[in-house]
Amino acid sequence: MIHHTMIVAFDEPIPSHELDEYLKGLEELTMGTGAFESFAARHHLRVPGDDHAPVAVASAVVQFGMADLEALNTAFALPGVGEFIGGWQARRPYKAIWVNHEPLA
């Protein structure tokens, strides 16, 4: 199992219902392909220390599970991914960083 863990940080605060819409759309897009074995996402829990974040404050964390690196490579080229990202970037710009890793526990 390979995990692709992604931290998503919208440039401006995003209402909770819109973030839920983004996460639900991402889940529907990815889980309907057969390339992904699991999907989990959670909103960032804001605390006062976030005001001092050196880089950015996340809006959400998303974790995808795939069988292996080959499945992960396939996932990056799935139809609809570019359109989904482009549509959201036009509507509410965001940045994402990720790490590909084996299960943590």
Side-chain angles (χ1 to χ4, degrees):
M1 168 78 63
I2 298 296
H3 285 179
H4 175 76
T5 301
M6 183 171 71
I7 307 277
V8 179
F10 284 86
D11 292 357
E12 299 293 330
I14 181 170
S16 182
H17 72 278
E18 283 188 62
L19 183 55
D20 287 340
E21 180 185 340
Y22 168 83
L23 296 172
K24 185 67 174 168
L26 190 58
E27 180 179 20
E28 290 171 354
L29 173 68
T30 56
M31 292 306 292
T33 65
F36 296 83
E37 295 182 3
S38 63
F39 176 95
R42 297 291 182 268
H43 289 219
H44 170 69
L45 302 175
R46 184 146 177 76
V47 297
D50 289 346
D51 295 338
H52 308 290
V55 178
V57 175
S59 302
V61 62
V62 180
Q63 188 171 77
F64 304 95
M66 284 143 285
D68 52 31
L69 288 174
E70 185 176 330
L72 176 59
N73 284 328
T74 300
F76 277 104
L78 289 172
V81 171
E83 292 82 2
F84 180 84
I85 293 169
W88 272 95
Q89 287 287 358
R91 179 176 166 188
R92 286 205 172 263
Y94 66 92
K95 295 172 185 61
I97 61 168
W98 58 77
V99 59
N100 303 315
H101 58 92
E102 294 175 333
L104 297 175

